[in-house]
Structures are given as C-alpha cells and as structure tokens.
C-alpha cells in the first residue's frame, strides 16, 4: 500500500538524520547518506531501496491452486507497479534537482567561474545534458515543485510528470489557482481513463481556466551518453 505524502512547500529542505555511531570500515559521510536514504524511503519521499526487495515468501503462498495463483499474480502486479512508480519518482526527482541547481548557476552566472561561456555549455560539459533542453528543464523543475506544493489529490502519492505540471502550474498561478487546478484534475479523471497531459489540457479548456493551454509535445531524452573519447 502506498503511503500518502505529507504536504510540503516547494523549497522545503528535510533535516537528514546522522548515524548514532560510525560503523567500522564505513566512512562517516557514507553513514549519514545511508541513514538519510533509509529515512527518506521510510517517509515515502523516494523510490524503494533497491537493496531491500520484498520477494514473495513461498510459505505465504497457500490455499487452493486458484488461491495460490491469485497470490502469485498479485505479487507480479505489485512488483510491476512498484517499478513503474519508482521510475516516475526518479524522473521527477532528477528533473527537480537538475533544474534547481542549473537555475542557481544561471541566476548567479556561476558557470563563468568554470570557464564556460553559457549555462547550456556548463550543463553539457558537467553532466552531458543536451543544451537544447536546459531552459525547459529549469522551467519544469519550478513547475513540478509548484504542483507538489499545491497538494492536488492526483499527485498526493507520487510526483507529477513534467508534462502534467506544464498544464497545471499556470492554472495554479491564477486567482483561486489550487481550487481550479483540482477541478481540472477531477474533470480529467472523470472519464475513468489514465490522466494524461492531453486530458488535463482538454479539461482546463472545457472549464475555461486555461483556454490557450495545449498539451506539450513529447521530447527526446534530455540526458545523453557521453561521446566516446
């Protein structure tokens, strides 16, 4: 069962716990990072720990053949859904963190201290980020954080996709924005189908909250492999 996330502001910074005592052979910094990861996983803030899988116990598979099959099938779907949710959370976290860092580098012209001519060149040189998407990534980061801070029901258990945030963030900026955005989400969900950016855009248009909003086009991957040297 997915735990609901507590409400948080877009720029809230969690206090990360440290270890009670260093473990022999493990650097203190690693201890702190491990403790922080465990706390974040327990709070539902990041994807499940890949080093702590929950395999189905054969002893728990009992009953008739049909009941055993149902238990195994449920485990298959649970594993699949967990993976899908983890990938989505990882993408959103990557977008938020990259975009926020790049925004600071751009606002303060910090990239110049590294010998780069632009923030796009800096992003490409440091993390092999396609420079074509740097500005959009910065905007996506802000929009995702705005939607997460609004506490909309659709995204209470998982972060929004960048394409969803692109539709909803402008609505949130309007008067009574959170209420309007929630109505858009509810309207988009009313069909019973999966909520998509196109569905959100159509719902916003029907409700008259964002007549000019259109679903964003799919873009190619923003991170690319470094070219062979």
């Amino acid at each position: 069962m997915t735990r609901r996330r507590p409400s948080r502001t877009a720029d809230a910074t969690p206090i990360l716990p440290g270890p009670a005592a260093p473990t022999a052979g493990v650097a203190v910094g690693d201890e702190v990072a491990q403790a922080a990861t465990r706390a974040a996983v327990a709070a539902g803030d990041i994807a499940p720990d890949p080093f702590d899988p929950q395999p189905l116990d054969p002893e728990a598979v009992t009953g008739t053949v049909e009941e055993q099959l149902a238990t195994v099938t449920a485990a298959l779907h649970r594993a699949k859904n967990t993976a899908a949710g983890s990938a989505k959370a990882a993408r959103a976290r990557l977008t938020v963190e990259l975009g926020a860092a790049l925004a600071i580098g751009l606002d303060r012209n910090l990239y110049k201290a590294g010998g780069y001519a632009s923030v796009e060149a800096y992003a490409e040189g440091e993390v092999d980020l396609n420079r074509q998407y740097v500005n959009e990534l910065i905007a996506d980061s802000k929009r995702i954080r705005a939607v997460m801070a609004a506490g909309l029901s659709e995204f209470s258990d998982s972060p929004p996709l960048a394409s969803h945030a692109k539709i909803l963030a402008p609505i949130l900026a309007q008067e009574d924005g959170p209420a309007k955005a929630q109505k858009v989400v509810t309207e988009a969900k009313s069909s019973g189908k999966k909520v998509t950016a196109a569905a959100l855009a159509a719902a916003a248009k029907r409700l008259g909250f964002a007549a000019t909003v259109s679903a964003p086009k799919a873009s190619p991957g923003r991170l690319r492999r470094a070219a062979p040297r």
Side-chain angles (χ1 to χ4, degrees):
M1 178 178 176
T2 304
R3 287 185 286 271
R4 293 182 66 84
R5 297 169 181 270
S7 297
R8 55 173 68 84
T9 61
D11 296 317
T13 301
I15 298 176
L16 301 180
T23 302
V26 179
V28 172
D30 290 340
E31 284 273 2
V32 173
Q34 291 166 10
T37 297
R38 287 193 295 271
V41 171
D45 288 333
I46 63 174
D49 185 351
F51 294 102
D52 186 29
Q54 304 296 321
L56 183 61
D57 183 357
E59 298 297 325
V61 184
T62 59
T64 65
V65 172
E66 289 77 12
E67 290 171 339
Q68 293 179 52
L69 175 61
T71 300
V72 170
T73 302
L76 292 177
H77 286 287
R78 184 167 58 251
K80 190 79 172 180
N81 291 337
T82 297
S86 298
K88 177 182 176 183
R91 286 196 302 272
R93 180 168 181 161
L94 178 65
T95 297
V96 167
E97 293 181 352
L98 284 177
L102 288 171
I104 295 171
L106 176 61
D107 291 343
R108 302 181 185 180
N109 294 324
L110 301 180
Y111 56 87
K112 293 181 179 179
Y116 293 97
S118 66
V119 71
E120 291 85 359
Y122 167 70
E124 183 178 50
E126 293 297 327
V127 290
D128 201 32
L129 182 66
N130 190 327
R131 62 174 66 198
Q132 179 181 353
Y133 298 109
V134 169
N135 289 328
E136 184 71 7
L137 185 64
I138 291 173
D140 282 341
S141 176
K142 293 178 181 178
R143 288 188 289 249
I144 289 174
R145 281 179 284 165
V147 173
M148 291 175 68
L152 303 180
S153 64
E154 174 70 12
F155 310 110
S156 59
D157 292 322
S158 62
L161 296 172
S163 59
H164 291 183
K166 192 168 188 176
I167 302 298
L168 295 170
I171 299 173
L172 288 169
Q174 299 175 12
E175 184 177 357
D176 297 324
K180 289 181 178 179
Q182 185 60 67
K183 288 181 180 179
V184 170
V185 170
T186 301
E187 173 75 7
K189 292 174 66 176
S190 65
S191 67
K193 298 180 180 179
K194 181 179 179 181
V195 175
T196 63
L200 290 171
K205 188 172 183 178
R206 286 196 299 273
L207 292 169
F209 296 153
T212 60
V213 168
S214 60
K217 297 180 180 179
S219 60
R222 293 170 178 172
L223 282 172
R224 60 191 182 195
R225 293 182 180 274
R229 299 183 183 279

